Amino acid sequence: FQELLTASGLQDARLKAGSGILTTWHAHNPLFRIPIDHTLSSPGVTVLDFRRTAALDGSDHWPILAEILLP
């Protein structure tokens, strides 16, 4: 993932928003959870909010919502 960020020049919206580690998988197993889903943004984009939303029926991932402000 770090190589992708470096090669593309994109930034992790989770870090830009100061959200810390938000696990998104595995929604049904509290012993094994990792931040596997990501949102990337250009350096000029402001990330106002980044959060995990309510789980969806049938999914083992939590959805994420990124609120952005375009320049």
Side-chain angles (χ1 to χ4, degrees):
F1 184 68
Q2 190 58 48
E3 288 180 22
L4 171 66
L5 294 177
T6 300
S8 68
L10 296 173
Q11 298 172 333
D12 187 347
R14 180 187 333 258
L15 298 178
K16 287 177 79 171
S19 297
I21 298 174
L22 289 176
T23 59
T24 56
W25 182 85
H26 191 281
H28 307 296
N29 184 346
L31 299 177
F32 187 68
R33 292 189 174 159
I34 57 176
I36 197 171
D37 301 290
H38 303 279
T39 300
L40 305 180
S41 68
S42 300
V45 171
T46 301
V47 180
L48 301 173
D49 189 24
F50 186 92
R51 65 181 178 271
R52 186 174 74 185
T53 65
L56 301 173
D57 287 341
S59 178
D60 60 352
H61 292 250
W62 276 292
I64 52 177
L65 177 66
E67 184 179 348
I68 62 170
L69 177 65
L70 299 175

